mmCIF file of all heavy atoms in Angstrom:
data_model
loop_
_atom_site.group_PDB
_atom_site.id
_atom_site.type_symbol
_atom_site.label_atom_id
_atom_site.label_comp_id
_atom_site.label_asym_id
_atom_site.label_seq_id
_atom_site.Cartn_x
_atom_site.Cartn_y
_atom_site.Cartn_z
ATOM 1 N N ARG A 57 121.421 55.854 17.700
ATOM 2 C CA ARG A 57 122.491 54.934 17.902
ATOM 3 C C ARG A 57 122.128 53.497 17.375
ATOM 4 O O ARG A 57 122.972 52.857 16.710
ATOM 5 C CB ARG A 57 122.859 54.819 19.402
ATOM 6 C CG ARG A 57 124.052 53.940 19.735
ATOM 7 C CD ARG A 57 125.330 54.727 19.671
ATOM 8 N NE ARG A 57 126.516 53.881 19.921
ATOM 9 C CZ ARG A 57 127.748 54.271 19.620
ATOM 10 N NH1 ARG A 57 127.972 55.445 19.118
ATOM 11 N NH2 ARG A 57 128.752 53.480 19.933
ATOM 12 N N PHE A 59 120.060 52.848 15.030
ATOM 13 C CA PHE A 59 120.118 52.873 13.561
ATOM 14 C C PHE A 59 121.501 52.538 13.054
ATOM 15 O O PHE A 59 121.682 51.807 12.109
ATOM 16 C CB PHE A 59 119.649 54.259 13.050
ATOM 17 C CG PHE A 59 120.004 54.513 11.596
ATOM 18 C CD1 PHE A 59 119.108 54.066 10.599
ATOM 19 C CD2 PHE A 59 121.194 55.094 11.215
ATOM 20 C CE1 PHE A 59 119.442 54.259 9.239
ATOM 21 C CE2 PHE A 59 121.495 55.305 9.868
ATOM 22 C CZ PHE A 59 120.634 54.864 8.868
ATOM 23 N N MET A 60 122.532 53.165 13.692
ATOM 24 C CA MET A 60 123.882 52.913 13.223
ATOM 25 C C MET A 60 124.201 51.411 13.359
ATOM 26 O O MET A 60 124.779 50.841 12.438
ATOM 27 C CB MET A 60 124.840 53.752 14.091
ATOM 28 C CG MET A 60 126.324 53.545 13.702
ATOM 29 S SD MET A 60 127.126 52.163 14.481
ATOM 30 C CE MET A 60 127.384 52.889 16.184
ATOM 31 N N HIS A 61 123.802 50.839 14.440
ATOM 32 C CA HIS A 61 124.038 49.363 14.622
ATOM 33 C C HIS A 61 123.420 48.624 13.525
ATOM 34 O O HIS A 61 124.085 47.732 12.924
ATOM 35 C CB HIS A 61 123.498 48.874 15.958
ATOM 36 C CG HIS A 61 124.154 49.506 17.177
ATOM 37 N ND1 HIS A 61 123.578 49.488 18.393
ATOM 38 C CD2 HIS A 61 125.387 50.060 17.335
ATOM 39 C CE1 HIS A 61 124.372 50.069 19.302
ATOM 40 N NE2 HIS A 61 125.477 50.465 18.677
ATOM 41 N N ARG A 62 122.173 48.835 13.206
ATOM 42 C CA ARG A 62 121.523 48.069 12.154
ATOM 43 C C ARG A 62 122.100 48.392 10.789
ATOM 44 O O ARG A 62 122.219 47.465 9.943
ATOM 45 C CB ARG A 62 120.005 48.367 12.125
ATOM 46 C CG ARG A 62 119.278 48.007 13.435
ATOM 47 C CD ARG A 62 117.763 47.944 13.252
ATOM 48 N NE ARG A 62 117.178 49.204 12.804
ATOM 49 C CZ ARG A 62 116.944 50.249 13.516
ATOM 50 N NH1 ARG A 62 117.282 50.268 14.833
ATOM 51 N NH2 ARG A 62 116.356 51.368 13.033
ATOM 52 N N ALA A 63 122.463 49.634 10.512
ATOM 53 C CA ALA A 63 122.960 49.961 9.209
ATOM 54 C C ALA A 63 124.304 49.292 8.941
ATOM 55 O O ALA A 63 124.535 48.751 7.876
ATOM 56 C CB ALA A 63 123.096 51.523 9.092
ATOM 57 N N VAL A 64 125.236 49.379 9.878
ATOM 58 C CA VAL A 64 126.548 48.781 9.624
ATOM 59 C C VAL A 64 126.506 47.277 9.662
ATOM 60 O O VAL A 64 127.233 46.619 8.919
ATOM 61 C CB VAL A 64 127.661 49.337 10.573
ATOM 62 C CG1 VAL A 64 127.748 50.864 10.416
ATOM 63 C CG2 VAL A 64 127.347 48.992 12.040
ATOM 64 N N ARG A 65 125.602 46.708 10.476
ATOM 65 C CA ARG A 65 125.421 45.242 10.435
ATOM 66 C C ARG A 65 124.901 44.809 9.084
ATOM 67 O O ARG A 65 125.376 43.801 8.527
ATOM 68 C CB ARG A 65 124.520 44.800 11.546
ATOM 69 C CG ARG A 65 124.416 43.265 11.719
ATOM 70 C CD ARG A 65 123.538 42.902 12.876
ATOM 71 N NE ARG A 65 124.146 43.261 14.185
ATOM 72 C CZ ARG A 65 123.609 44.234 14.957
ATOM 73 N NH1 ARG A 65 122.506 44.866 14.620
ATOM 74 N NH2 ARG A 65 124.231 44.482 16.113
ATOM 75 N N TYR A 66 123.952 45.576 8.519
ATOM 76 C CA TYR A 66 123.447 45.299 7.189
ATOM 77 C C TYR A 66 124.606 45.377 6.144
ATOM 78 O O TYR A 66 124.695 44.461 5.302
ATOM 79 C CB TYR A 66 122.360 46.288 6.824
ATOM 80 C CG TYR A 66 122.046 46.407 5.373
ATOM 81 C CD1 TYR A 66 121.229 45.414 4.720
ATOM 82 C CD2 TYR A 66 122.627 47.409 4.603
ATOM 83 C CE1 TYR A 66 120.989 45.485 3.361
ATOM 84 C CE2 TYR A 66 122.347 47.478 3.211
ATOM 85 C CZ TYR A 66 121.539 46.484 2.622
ATOM 86 O OH TYR A 66 121.291 46.591 1.299
ATOM 87 N N LEU A 67 125.442 46.354 6.235
ATOM 88 C CA LEU A 67 126.515 46.536 5.269
ATOM 89 C C LEU A 67 127.450 45.433 5.360
ATOM 90 O O LEU A 67 128.000 44.885 4.365
ATOM 91 C CB LEU A 67 127.199 47.879 5.446
ATOM 92 C CG LEU A 67 126.321 49.160 5.072
ATOM 93 C CD1 LEU A 67 127.117 50.440 5.397
ATOM 94 C CD2 LEU A 67 125.887 49.054 3.679
ATOM 95 N N ALA A 68 127.843 44.966 6.601
ATOM 96 C CA ALA A 68 128.789 43.936 6.788
ATOM 97 C C ALA A 68 128.162 42.580 6.409
ATOM 98 O O ALA A 68 128.843 41.770 5.657
ATOM 99 C CB ALA A 68 129.272 43.889 8.232
ATOM 100 N N ARG A 69 126.987 42.305 6.810
ATOM 101 C CA ARG A 69 126.405 40.987 6.562
ATOM 102 C C ARG A 69 125.799 40.821 5.244
ATOM 103 O O ARG A 69 126.061 39.775 4.590
ATOM 104 C CB ARG A 69 125.270 40.793 7.646
ATOM 105 C CG ARG A 69 124.615 39.410 7.578
ATOM 106 C CD ARG A 69 123.651 39.272 8.773
ATOM 107 N NE ARG A 69 124.292 39.172 10.039
ATOM 108 C CZ ARG A 69 123.765 39.453 11.205
ATOM 109 N NH1 ARG A 69 122.496 39.846 11.236
ATOM 110 N NH2 ARG A 69 124.446 39.341 12.306
ATOM 111 N N GLU A 70 125.072 41.810 4.680
ATOM 112 C CA GLU A 70 124.335 41.567 3.460
ATOM 113 C C GLU A 70 125.059 42.212 2.258
ATOM 114 O O GLU A 70 124.851 41.745 1.123
ATOM 115 C CB GLU A 70 122.910 42.193 3.549
ATOM 116 C CG GLU A 70 122.103 41.553 4.676
ATOM 117 C CD GLU A 70 120.691 41.962 4.656
ATOM 118 O OE1 GLU A 70 120.131 42.155 3.553
ATOM 119 O OE2 GLU A 70 120.082 42.123 5.737
ATOM 120 N N GLN A 71 125.933 43.177 2.477
ATOM 121 C CA GLN A 71 126.663 43.804 1.305
ATOM 122 C C GLN A 71 128.149 43.430 1.325
ATOM 123 O O GLN A 71 128.810 43.778 0.386
ATOM 124 C CB GLN A 71 126.457 45.282 1.377
ATOM 125 C CG GLN A 71 124.997 45.744 1.175
ATOM 126 C CD GLN A 71 124.468 45.373 -0.154
ATOM 127 O OE1 GLN A 71 125.210 45.224 -1.149
ATOM 128 N NE2 GLN A 71 123.140 45.285 -0.302
ATOM 129 N N GLY A 72 128.622 42.792 2.338
ATOM 130 C CA GLY A 72 130.022 42.297 2.377
ATOM 131 C C GLY A 72 131.035 43.414 2.537
ATOM 132 O O GLY A 72 132.223 43.268 2.214
ATOM 133 N N VAL A 73 130.595 44.567 3.105
ATOM 134 C CA VAL A 73 131.531 45.641 3.325
ATOM 135 C C VAL A 73 132.483 45.259 4.492
ATOM 136 O O VAL A 73 132.001 44.819 5.517
ATOM 137 C CB VAL A 73 130.829 46.982 3.614
ATOM 138 C CG1 VAL A 73 131.789 48.067 3.956
ATOM 139 C CG2 VAL A 73 129.931 47.359 2.441
ATOM 140 N N ARG A 74 133.747 45.472 4.288
ATOM 141 C CA ARG A 74 134.738 45.094 5.314
ATOM 142 C C ARG A 74 135.583 46.276 5.798
ATOM 143 O O ARG A 74 136.550 46.041 6.556
ATOM 144 C CB ARG A 74 135.671 44.026 4.728
ATOM 145 C CG ARG A 74 134.949 42.689 4.373
ATOM 146 C CD ARG A 74 134.438 42.041 5.624
ATOM 147 N NE ARG A 74 133.678 40.835 5.385
ATOM 148 C CZ ARG A 74 132.388 40.694 5.329
ATOM 149 N NH1 ARG A 74 131.585 41.777 5.432
ATOM 150 N NH2 ARG A 74 131.800 39.543 5.089
ATOM 151 N N GLN A 75 135.223 47.478 5.370
ATOM 152 C CA GLN A 75 136.020 48.627 5.856
ATOM 153 C C GLN A 75 135.031 49.824 5.980
ATOM 154 O O GLN A 75 134.144 50.002 5.134
ATOM 155 C CB GLN A 75 137.183 48.944 4.985
ATOM 156 C CG GLN A 75 136.954 48.869 3.490
ATOM 157 C CD GLN A 75 138.233 49.026 2.703
ATOM 158 O OE1 GLN A 75 139.339 49.110 3.192
ATOM 159 N NE2 GLN A 75 138.069 49.135 1.413
ATOM 160 N N PHE A 76 135.240 50.614 7.033
ATOM 161 C CA PHE A 76 134.352 51.685 7.403
ATOM 162 C C PHE A 76 135.061 52.925 7.779
ATOM 163 O O PHE A 76 136.154 52.842 8.424
ATOM 164 C CB PHE A 76 133.457 51.247 8.542
ATOM 165 C CG PHE A 76 132.517 50.102 8.180
ATOM 166 C CD1 PHE A 76 132.955 48.796 8.246
ATOM 167 C CD2 PHE A 76 131.217 50.381 7.803
ATOM 168 C CE1 PHE A 76 132.143 47.764 7.867
ATOM 169 C CE2 PHE A 76 130.372 49.294 7.514
ATOM 170 C CZ PHE A 76 130.812 47.992 7.522
ATOM 171 N N LEU A 77 134.520 54.081 7.406
ATOM 172 C CA LEU A 77 134.996 55.371 7.800
ATOM 173 C C LEU A 77 133.894 56.040 8.640
ATOM 174 O O LEU A 77 132.884 56.388 8.006
ATOM 175 C CB LEU A 77 135.440 56.225 6.565
ATOM 176 C CG LEU A 77 135.826 57.648 6.822
ATOM 177 C CD1 LEU A 77 137.133 57.711 7.699
ATOM 178 C CD2 LEU A 77 136.075 58.374 5.480
ATOM 179 N N ASP A 78 134.128 56.229 9.908
ATOM 180 C CA ASP A 78 133.006 56.754 10.789
ATOM 181 C C ASP A 78 133.386 58.207 11.207
ATOM 182 O O ASP A 78 134.346 58.452 11.919
ATOM 183 C CB ASP A 78 132.928 55.868 12.027
ATOM 184 C CG ASP A 78 131.845 56.295 12.931
ATOM 185 O OD1 ASP A 78 130.667 56.471 12.477
ATOM 186 O OD2 ASP A 78 132.095 56.481 14.178
ATOM 187 N N PRO A 87 127.590 48.606 22.108
ATOM 188 C CA PRO A 87 128.694 48.204 21.201
ATOM 189 C C PRO A 87 129.031 49.332 20.273
ATOM 190 O O PRO A 87 128.177 50.044 19.757
ATOM 191 C CB PRO A 87 128.063 47.017 20.445
ATOM 192 C CG PRO A 87 126.594 47.348 20.364
ATOM 193 C CD PRO A 87 126.228 48.006 21.655
ATOM 194 N N ASN A 88 130.329 49.446 20.034
ATOM 195 C CA ASN A 88 130.843 50.465 19.090
ATOM 196 C C ASN A 88 130.777 49.842 17.709
ATOM 197 O O ASN A 88 130.602 48.662 17.489
ATOM 198 C CB ASN A 88 132.274 50.848 19.488
ATOM 199 C CG ASN A 88 132.271 51.601 20.793
ATOM 200 O OD1 ASN A 88 131.897 52.742 20.883
ATOM 201 N ND2 ASN A 88 132.750 50.909 21.821
ATOM 202 N N LEU A 89 130.984 50.755 16.673
ATOM 203 C CA LEU A 89 130.838 50.326 15.292
ATOM 204 C C LEU A 89 131.687 49.121 14.979
ATOM 205 O O LEU A 89 131.266 48.153 14.351
ATOM 206 C CB LEU A 89 131.156 51.532 14.397
ATOM 207 C CG LEU A 89 130.825 51.333 12.926
ATOM 208 C CD1 LEU A 89 130.593 52.707 12.243
ATOM 209 C CD2 LEU A 89 131.935 50.640 12.121
ATOM 210 N N HIS A 90 132.987 49.202 15.413
ATOM 211 C CA HIS A 90 133.889 48.064 15.050
ATOM 212 C C HIS A 90 133.431 46.746 15.677
ATOM 213 O O HIS A 90 133.636 45.644 15.119
ATOM 214 C CB HIS A 90 135.315 48.426 15.357
ATOM 215 C CG HIS A 90 135.685 48.371 16.817
ATOM 216 N ND1 HIS A 90 135.325 49.382 17.661
ATOM 217 C CD2 HIS A 90 136.295 47.430 17.599
ATOM 218 C CE1 HIS A 90 135.745 49.088 18.888
ATOM 219 N NE2 HIS A 90 136.295 47.875 18.890
ATOM 220 N N GLU A 91 132.852 46.890 16.907
ATOM 221 C CA GLU A 91 132.368 45.642 17.560
ATOM 222 C C GLU A 91 131.199 45.012 16.778
ATOM 223 O O GLU A 91 131.082 43.768 16.686
ATOM 224 C CB GLU A 91 131.950 45.954 18.975
ATOM 225 C CG GLU A 91 133.172 46.379 19.827
ATOM 226 C CD GLU A 91 132.763 47.033 21.178
ATOM 227 O OE1 GLU A 91 131.789 47.739 21.199
ATOM 228 O OE2 GLU A 91 133.451 46.704 22.192
ATOM 229 N N VAL A 92 130.331 45.875 16.230
ATOM 230 C CA VAL A 92 129.189 45.385 15.495
ATOM 231 C C VAL A 92 129.667 44.662 14.223
ATOM 232 O O VAL A 92 129.259 43.545 13.897
ATOM 233 C CB VAL A 92 128.180 46.524 15.170
ATOM 234 C CG1 VAL A 92 127.086 46.017 14.250
ATOM 235 C CG2 VAL A 92 127.641 47.139 16.417
ATOM 236 N N VAL A 93 130.557 45.347 13.402
ATOM 237 C CA VAL A 93 130.895 44.762 12.168
ATOM 238 C C VAL A 93 131.904 43.604 12.354
ATOM 239 O O VAL A 93 131.883 42.646 11.534
ATOM 240 C CB VAL A 93 131.449 45.826 11.196
ATOM 241 C CG1 VAL A 93 130.377 46.909 10.938
ATOM 242 C CG2 VAL A 93 132.758 46.532 11.683
ATOM 243 N N GLN A 94 132.778 43.688 13.335
ATOM 244 C CA GLN A 94 133.724 42.593 13.533
ATOM 245 C C GLN A 94 133.072 41.314 14.092
ATOM 246 O O GLN A 94 133.585 40.230 14.005
ATOM 247 C CB GLN A 94 134.908 43.042 14.403
ATOM 248 C CG GLN A 94 135.789 44.052 13.629
ATOM 249 C CD GLN A 94 137.009 44.482 14.445
ATOM 250 O OE1 GLN A 94 137.085 44.263 15.669
ATOM 251 N NE2 GLN A 94 137.940 45.177 13.795
ATOM 252 N N GLU A 95 131.904 41.523 14.703
ATOM 253 C CA GLU A 95 131.086 40.319 15.081
ATOM 254 C C GLU A 95 130.705 39.536 13.844
ATOM 255 O O GLU A 95 130.591 38.328 13.855
ATOM 256 C CB GLU A 95 129.870 40.724 15.836
ATOM 257 C CG GLU A 95 129.064 39.518 16.410
ATOM 258 C CD GLU A 95 127.885 39.965 17.238
ATOM 259 O OE1 GLU A 95 127.568 41.217 17.287
ATOM 260 O OE2 GLU A 95 127.256 39.063 17.814
ATOM 261 N N VAL A 96 130.372 40.310 12.728
ATOM 262 C CA VAL A 96 130.036 39.678 11.498
ATOM 263 C C VAL A 96 131.262 39.213 10.722
ATOM 264 O O VAL A 96 131.327 38.051 10.237
ATOM 265 C CB VAL A 96 129.232 40.653 10.620
ATOM 266 C CG1 VAL A 96 128.932 40.039 9.247
ATOM 267 C CG2 VAL A 96 127.959 41.077 11.334
ATOM 268 N N ALA A 97 132.261 40.086 10.652
ATOM 269 C CA ALA A 97 133.465 39.855 9.920
ATOM 270 C C ALA A 97 134.668 40.312 10.747
ATOM 271 O O ALA A 97 134.988 41.524 10.696
ATOM 272 C CB ALA A 97 133.401 40.452 8.563
ATOM 273 N N PRO A 98 135.318 39.389 11.491
ATOM 274 C CA PRO A 98 136.397 39.948 12.356
ATOM 275 C C PRO A 98 137.541 40.611 11.691
ATOM 276 O O PRO A 98 138.314 41.393 12.288
ATOM 277 C CB PRO A 98 136.866 38.576 13.036
ATOM 278 C CG PRO A 98 135.740 37.645 12.938
ATOM 279 C CD PRO A 98 135.071 37.957 11.626
ATOM 280 N N GLU A 99 137.666 40.462 10.343
ATOM 281 C CA GLU A 99 138.806 41.071 9.628
ATOM 282 C C GLU A 99 138.494 42.534 9.211
ATOM 283 O O GLU A 99 139.345 43.169 8.610
ATOM 284 C CB GLU A 99 139.093 40.243 8.349
ATOM 285 C CG GLU A 99 138.088 40.293 7.278
ATOM 286 C CD GLU A 99 136.918 39.290 7.425
ATOM 287 O OE1 GLU A 99 136.709 38.816 8.544
ATOM 288 O OE2 GLU A 99 136.245 39.026 6.408
ATOM 289 N N SER A 100 137.372 43.033 9.619
ATOM 290 C CA SER A 100 136.964 44.391 9.160
ATOM 291 C C SER A 100 137.923 45.452 9.697
ATOM 292 O O SER A 100 138.457 45.333 10.824
ATOM 293 C CB SER A 100 135.534 44.682 9.621
ATOM 294 O OG SER A 100 134.596 43.835 9.031
ATOM 295 N N HIS A 101 138.106 46.503 8.937
ATOM 296 C CA HIS A 101 138.918 47.686 9.292
ATOM 297 C C HIS A 101 137.974 48.886 9.549
ATOM 298 O O HIS A 101 137.073 49.097 8.766
ATOM 299 C CB HIS A 101 139.882 48.010 8.175
ATOM 300 C CG HIS A 101 141.040 47.081 8.047
ATOM 301 N ND1 HIS A 101 142.169 47.365 7.330
ATOM 302 C CD2 HIS A 101 141.252 45.856 8.612
ATOM 303 C CE1 HIS A 101 143.013 46.345 7.403
ATOM 304 N NE2 HIS A 101 142.464 45.428 8.184
ATOM 305 N N VAL A 102 138.217 49.642 10.542
ATOM 306 C CA VAL A 102 137.384 50.810 10.896
ATOM 307 C C VAL A 102 138.313 51.985 11.212
ATOM 308 O O VAL A 102 139.194 51.886 12.068
ATOM 309 C CB VAL A 102 136.471 50.523 12.074
ATOM 310 C CG1 VAL A 102 135.660 51.833 12.424
ATOM 311 C CG2 VAL A 102 135.459 49.407 11.802
ATOM 312 N N VAL A 103 138.110 53.094 10.541
ATOM 313 C CA VAL A 103 138.795 54.331 10.880
ATOM 314 C C VAL A 103 137.734 55.254 11.497
ATOM 315 O O VAL A 103 136.742 55.663 10.893
ATOM 316 C CB VAL A 103 139.367 55.006 9.616
ATOM 317 C CG1 VAL A 103 139.954 56.412 9.964
ATOM 318 C CG2 VAL A 103 140.443 54.145 9.035
ATOM 319 N N TYR A 104 138.015 55.655 12.755
ATOM 320 C CA TYR A 104 137.113 56.594 13.479
ATOM 321 C C TYR A 104 137.673 58.005 13.404
ATOM 322 O O TYR A 104 138.884 58.188 13.433
ATOM 323 C CB TYR A 104 137.071 56.188 14.947
ATOM 324 C CG TYR A 104 136.365 54.919 15.330
ATOM 325 C CD1 TYR A 104 137.041 53.763 15.715
ATOM 326 C CD2 TYR A 104 134.960 54.835 15.249
ATOM 327 C CE1 TYR A 104 136.392 52.628 16.074
ATOM 328 C CE2 TYR A 104 134.274 53.684 15.623
ATOM 329 C CZ TYR A 104 135.043 52.597 16.024
ATOM 330 O OH TYR A 104 134.342 51.446 16.374
ATOM 331 N N LEU A 120 139.486 49.134 20.518
ATOM 332 C CA LEU A 120 140.472 48.174 20.206
ATOM 333 C C LEU A 120 139.894 47.109 19.251
ATOM 334 O O LEU A 120 138.852 46.530 19.531
ATOM 335 C CB LEU A 120 140.990 47.529 21.418
ATOM 336 C CG LEU A 120 141.624 48.548 22.475
ATOM 337 C CD1 LEU A 120 142.121 47.835 23.724
ATOM 338 C CD2 LEU A 120 142.770 49.308 21.871
ATOM 339 N N SER A 121 140.633 46.819 18.246
ATOM 340 C CA SER A 121 140.153 45.899 17.184
ATOM 341 C C SER A 121 140.236 44.422 17.625
ATOM 342 O O SER A 121 140.959 44.071 18.597
ATOM 343 C CB SER A 121 140.993 46.093 15.934
ATOM 344 O OG SER A 121 140.670 45.112 14.949
ATOM 345 N N SER A 122 139.524 43.627 16.899
ATOM 346 C CA SER A 122 139.748 42.127 16.979
ATOM 347 C C SER A 122 141.150 41.881 16.449
ATOM 348 O O SER A 122 141.707 42.676 15.665
ATOM 349 C CB SER A 122 138.726 41.429 16.092
ATOM 350 O OG SER A 122 138.949 41.667 14.748
ATOM 351 N N GLN A 124 142.044 39.894 14.130
ATOM 352 C CA GLN A 124 142.056 39.769 12.694
ATOM 353 C C GLN A 124 141.888 41.028 11.926
ATOM 354 O O GLN A 124 142.257 41.179 10.777
ATOM 355 C CB GLN A 124 140.928 38.795 12.293
ATOM 356 C CG GLN A 124 141.029 37.440 12.915
ATOM 357 C CD GLN A 124 140.125 37.357 14.161
ATOM 358 O OE1 GLN A 124 140.074 38.317 14.952
ATOM 359 N NE2 GLN A 124 139.442 36.214 14.332
ATOM 360 N N GLY A 125 141.298 42.079 12.557
ATOM 361 C CA GLY A 125 140.920 43.303 11.915
ATOM 362 C C GLY A 125 141.881 44.474 12.375
ATOM 363 O O GLY A 125 142.934 44.211 12.874
ATOM 364 N N ALA A 126 141.305 45.674 12.239
ATOM 365 C CA ALA A 126 142.176 46.822 12.585
ATOM 366 C C ALA A 126 141.229 48.017 12.822
ATOM 367 O O ALA A 126 140.245 48.178 12.148
ATOM 368 C CB ALA A 126 143.150 47.164 11.534
ATOM 369 N N THR A 127 141.566 48.842 13.823
ATOM 370 C CA THR A 127 140.930 50.129 14.039
ATOM 371 C C THR A 127 141.975 51.197 14.170
ATOM 372 O O THR A 127 143.096 50.917 14.555
ATOM 373 C CB THR A 127 140.035 50.146 15.320
ATOM 374 O OG1 THR A 127 140.822 49.901 16.444
ATOM 375 C CG2 THR A 127 138.909 49.056 15.264
ATOM 376 N N ALA A 128 141.583 52.447 13.808
ATOM 377 C CA ALA A 128 142.450 53.590 14.016
ATOM 378 C C ALA A 128 141.641 54.776 14.268
ATOM 379 O O ALA A 128 140.383 54.787 13.889
ATOM 380 C CB ALA A 128 143.351 53.793 12.700
ATOM 381 N N LEU A 149 144.791 52.106 6.408
ATOM 382 C CA LEU A 149 143.729 51.092 6.813
ATOM 383 C C LEU A 149 142.738 50.796 5.764
ATOM 384 O O LEU A 149 142.162 49.721 5.697
ATOM 385 C CB LEU A 149 143.075 51.502 8.085
ATOM 386 C CG LEU A 149 143.504 50.645 9.345
ATOM 387 C CD1 LEU A 149 144.918 50.996 9.718
ATOM 388 C CD2 LEU A 149 142.559 50.982 10.531
ATOM 389 N N LEU A 150 142.447 51.832 4.931
ATOM 390 C CA LEU A 150 141.338 51.644 3.930
ATOM 391 C C LEU A 150 141.899 51.472 2.547
ATOM 392 O O LEU A 150 142.681 52.262 1.998
ATOM 393 C CB LEU A 150 140.406 52.870 3.992
ATOM 394 C CG LEU A 150 139.783 53.155 5.359
ATOM 395 C CD1 LEU A 150 138.776 54.293 5.228
ATOM 396 C CD2 LEU A 150 139.063 51.891 5.896
ATOM 397 N N PRO A 155 135.034 48.434 -1.559
ATOM 398 C CA PRO A 155 134.046 49.305 -1.042
ATOM 399 C C PRO A 155 134.322 49.747 0.383
ATOM 400 O O PRO A 155 134.852 48.983 1.209
ATOM 401 C CB PRO A 155 132.764 48.492 -1.184
ATOM 402 C CG PRO A 155 133.062 47.482 -2.233
ATOM 403 C CD PRO A 155 134.512 47.153 -2.104
ATOM 404 N N VAL A 156 133.865 50.936 0.726
ATOM 405 C CA VAL A 156 133.942 51.548 2.038
ATOM 406 C C VAL A 156 132.579 51.920 2.475
ATOM 407 O O VAL A 156 131.798 52.450 1.707
ATOM 408 C CB VAL A 156 134.903 52.723 2.098
ATOM 409 C CG1 VAL A 156 134.938 53.390 3.465
ATOM 410 C CG2 VAL A 156 136.329 52.288 1.601
ATOM 411 N N GLY A 157 132.277 51.691 3.772
ATOM 412 C CA GLY A 157 131.048 52.211 4.352
ATOM 413 C C GLY A 157 131.348 53.522 5.084
ATOM 414 O O GLY A 157 132.044 53.525 6.073
ATOM 415 N N LEU A 158 130.842 54.633 4.517
ATOM 416 C CA LEU A 158 130.987 55.915 5.126
ATOM 417 C C LEU A 158 129.854 56.214 6.052
ATOM 418 O O LEU A 158 128.664 56.206 5.582
ATOM 419 C CB LEU A 158 131.094 57.013 4.009
ATOM 420 C CG LEU A 158 131.058 58.476 4.525
ATOM 421 C CD1 LEU A 158 132.215 58.846 5.431
ATOM 422 C CD2 LEU A 158 131.032 59.398 3.253
ATOM 423 N N THR A 159 130.041 56.374 7.319
ATOM 424 C CA THR A 159 128.957 56.609 8.273
ATOM 425 C C THR A 159 129.093 58.018 8.896
ATOM 426 O O THR A 159 130.160 58.358 9.413
ATOM 427 C CB THR A 159 128.916 55.540 9.377
ATOM 428 O OG1 THR A 159 130.182 55.537 10.118
ATOM 429 C CG2 THR A 159 128.711 54.154 8.810
ATOM 430 N N ALA A 190 125.906 55.868 4.983
ATOM 431 C CA ALA A 190 124.895 55.739 6.014
ATOM 432 C C ALA A 190 124.879 57.078 6.788
ATOM 433 O O ALA A 190 125.840 57.504 7.338
ATOM 434 C CB ALA A 190 125.218 54.627 6.978
#
Side-chain angles (χ1 to χ4, degrees):
R57 184 87 181 166
F59 166 86
M60 182 273 285
H61 294 159
R62 297 195 304 280
V64 299
R65 188 176 293 112
Y66 162 81
L67 292 178
R69 181 176 291 158
E70 299 189 38
Q71 296 295 337
V73 176
R74 296 293 180 264
Q75 44 187 5
F76 294 82
L77 175 62
D78 183 51
N88 294 288
L89 190 154
H90 73 281
E91 293 168 322
V92 175
V93 299
Q94 288 181 350
E95 184 179 8
V96 176
E99 70 275 20
S100 297
H101 287 194
V102 177
V103 174
Y104 290 109
L120 303 177
S121 173
S122 68
Q124 303 96 318
T127 61
L149 253 68
L150 302 185
V156 176
L158 170 62
T159 59

